[in-house]
Amino acid sequence: RAMSALERALESNNRLALADEANADLWLQDDLRDALVNNELSIQFQPLVDIRSRRVTSVEALARWRSARHGVIAPSRFIALAEQAGLAPELTRWSVNAILREYAPLRRQMPELRCAINLSPKVFSQSGIEGQISAALAIWGIPPESLTLEVTETAVMDDPELSSATLRHLRDTGVRVAIDDFGQGYSSFTYLKHFPATELKIDQSFVTPMAGDPRARQLVRSMIGIAHHLDMEAVAEGVEDATTLAYLAEMGCDIAQGYHLGRPMDVPELLQRLRAQE
């Protein structure tokens, strides 16, 4: 902070500057680096529900960071910080191992339960990501078909050749691939044609307003049709009420996710729900 203030002072007319929070992100990046080394982040799981059976069939793993110095840091913020600071590979390595460790007892309770992990676009330039994921699956005794890797359209289009090749290698091992936040990015039919995806996750900006917006409903219906025509499961994000869920069921959507169906929760709470379901 003192060095930052010194730089500003040298550039100012009165040669004076006070240290402040202007570069708070720099301090957060340092703290995030320490948090990864010291295993201070935690994992929660949000249920994904089969619309026909109304059973939890998979979960999405979400990293959480409660910093001793800064309090709760939103995932959108610390993931962006990790990418800016070149920490995406370290965060991915930590996430994959921590998630599979927490997921293992859930899968013992319900062997058919799948787990989804979000991949940063930055990891596609990282050599050995396929081997890293395969090794983690082997360590925790989890079959590849139980894992779904979620990638955004933006991540794919940053380097279509590299990302498609990486994900195709993982698909060859049995790992599933989901296109996350569909409709928010490029929505290019060209990449849909070549991309090795098994699921299409419709962005919540289309799903959440469905109850009061006929145009949103028509768009979601079309996206579900695209998914099914390409032999993918259609997953609706951001389901916040029973009316939206009913519309999705009528449209033939496969999976739903949102606060109406379950908020992110710790492993003990999720285990209770799975046991009650059984």
Side-chain angles (χ1 to χ4, degrees):
R1 290 170 188 251
M3 291 302 295
S4 175
L6 173 60
E7 288 176 11
R8 296 200 310 278
L10 290 171
E11 295 170 358
S12 69
N13 292 329
N14 61 6
R15 313 284 282 179
L16 173 68
L18 296 175
D20 57 23
E21 295 292 331
N23 289 320
D25 281 359
L26 292 177
W27 324 129
L28 272 177
Q29 285 175 1
D30 283 343
D31 287 349
L32 177 57
R33 188 176 283 106
D34 292 341
L36 290 171
V37 170
N38 298 322
N39 199 32
E40 293 173 5
L41 278 70
S42 61
I43 300 296
Q44 288 190 319
F45 294 95
Q46 185 170 20
L48 279 79
V49 173
D50 181 283
I51 293 179
R52 296 177 189 82
S53 67
R54 302 298 167 93
R55 291 169 54 86
V56 176
T57 55
S58 56
V59 290
E60 180 180 354
L62 303 163
R64 296 287 185 260
W65 182 23
R66 182 183 292 277
S67 165
R69 185 183 309 182
H70 307 284
V72 176
I73 311 296
S76 58
R77 188 176 184 196
F78 73 73
I79 290 170
L81 284 172
E83 292 175 349
Q84 292 164 15
L87 292 172
E90 286 84 351
L91 181 58
T92 300
R93 191 178 302 113
W94 178 88
S95 296
V96 169
N97 281 285
I99 288 166
L100 295 182
R101 181 188 66 223
E102 297 291 315
Y103 165 62
L106 295 172
R107 190 177 174 278
R108 284 195 293 271
Q109 174 71 26
M110 184 179 167
E112 67 274 21
L113 184 74
R114 298 198 303 264
C115 179
I117 297 177
N118 292 280
L119 279 189
S120 163
K122 302 295 183 183
V123 304
F124 292 114
S125 59
Q126 175 191 350
S127 61
I129 184 67
E130 304 102 312
Q132 181 183 315
I133 291 172
S134 297
L137 287 168
I139 287 169
W140 298 105
I142 295 167
E145 56 270 19
S146 293
L147 179 66
T148 302
L149 299 176
E150 296 190 0
V151 294
T152 63
E153 295 172 88
T154 307
V156 175
M157 296 307 290
D158 276 352
D159 191 336
E161 256 185 65
L162 181 61
S163 57
S164 291
T166 300
L167 292 168
R168 200 170 292 281
H169 289 151
L170 286 162
R171 279 289 298 125
D172 290 342
T173 69
V175 171
R176 297 167 62 87
V177 176
I179 300 172
D180 198 14
D181 301 334
F182 181 73
Q184 199 178 49
Y186 295 91
S187 299
S188 166
F189 284 91
T190 303
Y191 90 80
L192 281 178
K193 179 182 176 183
H194 300 289
F195 196 66
T198 53
E199 298 174 21
L200 191 70
K201 296 193 74 174
I202 303 167
D203 187 66
Q204 62 182 355
S205 61
F206 299 97
V207 176
T208 303
M210 277 177 58
D213 186 346
R215 288 179 68 83
R217 292 198 293 273
Q218 289 304 319
L219 283 167
V220 170
R221 188 185 298 274
S222 299
M223 292 178 190
I224 293 169
I226 289 170
H228 290 164
H229 284 307
L230 293 174
D231 295 322
M232 292 188 281
E233 284 189 332
V235 183
E237 301 179 288
V239 178
E240 308 298 333
D241 54 66
T243 303
T244 301
L245 186 62
Y247 276 125
L248 291 167
E250 181 269 325
M251 293 174 184
C253 189
D254 303 296
I255 308 291
Q257 176 183 9
Y259 282 7
H260 177 66
L261 300 163
R263 292 173 176 266
M265 55 188 76
D266 296 328
V267 168
E269 186 181 355
L270 183 56
L271 274 171
Q272 279 188 340
R273 177 163 178 178
L274 293 176
R275 286 171 183 147
Q277 175 176 284
E278 294 303 307

